[in-house]
Amino acid sequence: MKIKRNIALSDSGFVFNPTTGDSFSTNPIGIEIIKLLKEGKNEDEVKKHLIKSYMTDEVTLEKDYYDFVNMLLKLQLAEGDEDKDEAKN
Amino acid sequence: MKIKTKRKINVAVTGLNAIDSPGPGIPVIRALKESSEFDVHIIGLSYETLEPGIYMHDLVDKTYQIPFPSAGIESLLTRLGYINAVEKIDVLIPNFDAELFNFMKLTERLEEEMGIKMFLPTIEQFEERHKSNLAEFGKKYGIKVPHSKMIFNISDIPSLRNEFTYPLVVKGKYYDASVAYTPEQAVTCFNKISTKWGLPIIIQEFVYGQEVNVTAIGDGKGNTLGAIPMRKQYITDKGKAWAGISLEDEKLIEVTEKVIKGSKWRGGMEMEMIKTRDDEYFLIEINPRFPAWVYLAVGCGQNHPEALIKMALGEKVKPWKKYDIGKMFIRYSYDLIVGLEEFEKISTLGEL
């Protein structure tokens, strides 16, 4: 899963999608995840980073992480690998 | 140091009704007042005495009432003759769909007899983009258009089920549109819209998606001089944008350029489109003039009304290549306090 290339993210957690005109706000952990995904980190790398940085267990992290990235997909802020494959075709 | 002096110019503008369903006149005037090339003297042309622009003296220098379009071109010409004798109009910008036909018919006479220049679409362009001709327009220029049909009688509504599924959109020839979810609602919409705007009524397939709009200007030779895509963020009960934001949407710009290139569009225009979840674009309407939100274009770095003046004067305009994305407009209402003597003057003398 990748964050769409034109998504703008500010330090305050304001997220702007210039294609749809939609804007959202996210908390500091959300900012961190979006930044890591924007840098091109994959799912394992992001999860590893979060486990190291925060006092949480893998099961809780997994659940919250998928909740969050599914929301990013639903809000058209990210695209799944299958979307990209379709776009290539 | 070289100081650039602005050229003085007299511009007449209609559409001073800055109301809940606003005309584009005031935004066009604001754009012209911010021109880097022209020092504009604005002559307002109004139809009714309570159009707010008449009383906005910081924007409109002098206003004259003009006859309603139904009075015909001769009475319009006579009135403009009088106004021009006083004001010496250089360029005139009509901003209403319903008045455009008369002004297009008068284009040559206004220029030859009075020296008034305009930059309007041709009658052919004006006619072919009519809501009732939109299907053919789409076919001609390779743009997807929702299925639509003209009806003249309320008795045509029951048989719509053979061609359309509900919900469907009921539209007036010039203005107004409502979504009907049942045949009964379609009857109500038919009555409401036809009473106000006459016949025919256009029935259009309802396309699910996000409405996106573009304000643009064509040079009449197929080139797009500027185009700004926008999404409405706050919509009034009349369906008008009360707030909006400029978008990054290359595909929408491409569609706009395709329409302008194919039709050799001349002048300002607004395209109303629906973008589906699958990124398909359906054209639902083309308005043959600037929209009331055209001032957003200025905010994004493209002064379309200024470009229109230059085109009308026969000057070259370099097409814009970029604009600011994520610029918003937020409309507001404002109470003007007006002395009765001003209202009396425009009501009795027809000028203020």
Side-chain angles (χ1 to χ4, degrees):
Chain A
M1 198 209 62
K2 287 247 157 41
I3 298 291
K4 288 185 179 171
R5 58 153 192 95
N6 58 353
I7 299 299
L9 172 71
S10 77
D11 291 339
S12 64
F14 186 78
V15 187
F16 175 59
N17 182 345
T19 309
T20 62
D22 289 324
S23 54
F24 312 91
S25 55
T26 185
N27 63 15
I29 300 180
I31 298 174
E32 213 171 328
I33 296 173
I34 294 174
K35 272 187 179 165
L36 291 166
L37 290 170
K38 269 190 115 152
E39 283 167 17
K41 299 267 190 296
N42 65 29
E43 188 184 313
D44 284 342
E45 289 170 318
V46 176
K47 283 197 278 190
K48 241 182 236 168
H49 172 88
L50 294 172
I51 283 278
K52 243 200 277 174
S53 313
Y54 298 97
M55 284 175 62
T56 185
D57 59 87
E58 243 176 78
V59 178
T60 310
L61 175 81
E62 192 108 317
K63 183 185 158 294
D64 290 348
Y65 177 79
Y66 285 119
D67 267 357
F68 186 69
V69 293
N70 277 331
M71 198 193 298
L72 294 179
L73 286 167
K74 207 171 150 197
L75 298 176
Q76 300 180 61
L77 297 171
E79 51 195 354
D81 293 333
E82 65 280 8
D83 292 342
K84 266 178 59 198
D85 291 343
E86 268 174 34
K88 271 183 211 162
N89 299 333
Chain B
M1 196 174 72
K2 210 175 167 186
I3 298 170
K4 195 179 170 188
T5 49
K6 292 188 189 181
R7 287 180 277 168
K8 285 194 186 301
I9 187 167
N10 297 329
V11 183
V13 179
T14 68
L16 306 182
N17 54 330
I19 55 171
D20 58 342
S21 177
I26 295 300
V28 164
I29 294 167
R30 286 185 71 198
L32 295 178
K33 290 277 181 188
E34 288 182 26
S35 166
S36 57
E37 299 197 26
F38 300 107
D39 177 7
V40 288
H41 175 78
I42 298 290
I43 301 117
L45 303 175
S46 67
Y47 290 101
E48 297 189 69
T49 50
L50 284 177
E51 291 178 27
I54 299 170
Y55 308 95
M56 298 166 85
H57 304 305
D58 52 335
L59 292 173
V60 183
D61 297 291
K62 177 89 190 257
T63 301
Y64 295 85
Q65 295 265 63
I66 55 170
F68 278 105
S70 53
I73 56 173
E74 287 307 324
S75 57
L76 177 62
L77 192 69
T78 307
R79 181 64 175 154
L80 288 174
Y82 165 78
I83 298 167
N84 191 54
V86 184
E87 302 290 345
K88 293 193 176 29
I89 299 166
D90 295 303
V91 178
L92 194 155
I93 307 179
N95 285 302
F96 286 124
D97 299 18
E99 69 186 2
L100 266 184
F101 190 79
N102 284 351
F103 279 105
M104 287 187 300
K105 281 269 183 197
L106 286 175
T107 302
E108 280 177 22
R109 289 177 70 184
L110 283 179
E111 180 153 7
E112 282 164 17
E113 295 171 22
M114 301 182 202
I116 299 174
K117 294 183 171 68
M118 296 188 287
F119 195 69
L120 301 179
T122 62
I123 289 184
E124 194 195 355
Q125 290 167 346
F126 179 77
E127 291 295 337
E128 74 171 356
R129 59 85 239 171
H130 255 301
K131 286 181 201 176
S132 46
N133 301 333
L134 210 58
E136 289 80 55
F137 187 90
K139 218 179 277 173
K140 191 171 170 188
Y141 300 116
I143 311 286
K144 284 183 183 154
V145 172
H147 177 51
S148 58
K149 182 184 183 171
M150 258 193 294
I151 60 169
F152 291 86
N153 204 303
I154 213 155
S155 61
D156 295 329
I157 290 177
S159 62
L160 291 175
R161 274 203 185 280
N162 303 329
E163 277 184 66
F164 296 87
T165 53
Y166 282 87
L168 47 77
V169 187
V170 183
K171 293 181 150 189
K173 191 178 176 187
Y174 289 117
Y175 298 103
D176 231 339
S178 295
V179 179
Y181 290 84
T182 61
E184 292 73 29
Q185 285 182 2
V187 169
T188 309
C189 298
F190 182 101
N191 285 332
K192 194 187 93 193
I193 297 171
S194 62
T195 305
K196 204 167 173 192
W197 301 109
L199 293 169
I201 288 291
I202 292 106
I203 302 295
Q204 198 173 68
E205 172 195 356
F206 182 87
V207 178
Y208 289 89
Q210 177 72 58
E211 185 183 333
V212 281
N213 302 318
V214 183
T215 180
I217 176 168
D219 70 353
K221 292 173 186 155
N223 302 307
T224 302
L225 299 175
I228 304 286
M230 180 277 292
R231 197 197 96 192
K232 295 175 184 175
Q233 291 178 299
Y234 188 113
I235 302 173
T236 67
D237 55 359
K238 289 195 174 166
K240 304 295 166 190
W242 201 256
I245 187 163
S246 63
L247 303 175
E248 178 185 38
D249 196 329
E250 281 168 26
K251 205 169 163 191
L252 189 49
I253 301 268
E254 273 171 30
V255 175
T256 307
E257 287 175 347
K258 198 171 170 184
V259 168
I260 290 180
K261 191 175 181 188
S263 63
K264 294 194 166 51
W265 190 266
R266 198 169 183 275
M269 61 128 72
E270 180 192 26
M271 296 221 311
E272 297 181 11
M273 317 269 301
I274 297 285
K275 182 183 179 184
T276 67
R277 188 85 188 169
D278 305 324
D279 280 351
E280 282 190 304
Y281 290 83
F282 284 83
L283 177 64
I284 51 171
E285 206 167 311
I286 292 184
N287 293 314
R289 36 104 193 134
F290 290 131
W293 57 273
V294 68
Y295 187 68
L296 178 68
V298 182
C300 292
Q302 298 188 1
N303 193 332
H304 293 181
E306 181 193 59
L308 187 98
I309 295 282
K310 289 177 80 175
M311 293 304 295
L313 294 172
E315 297 172 12
K316 276 203 172 158
V317 177
K318 219 170 132 194
W320 283 280
K321 294 282 175 218
K322 55 180 188 174
Y323 60 92
D324 292 347
I325 295 157
K327 273 271 156 63
M328 294 167 61
F329 74 88
I330 301 170
R331 218 163 256 168
Y332 66 101
S333 58
Y334 187 93
D335 298 340
L336 288 168
I337 303 300
V338 176
L340 189 61
E341 63 282 1
E342 290 203 342
F343 182 68
E344 179 193 335
K345 222 171 159 191
I346 189 78
S347 302
T348 55
L349 303 176
E351 53 189 89
L352 178 67

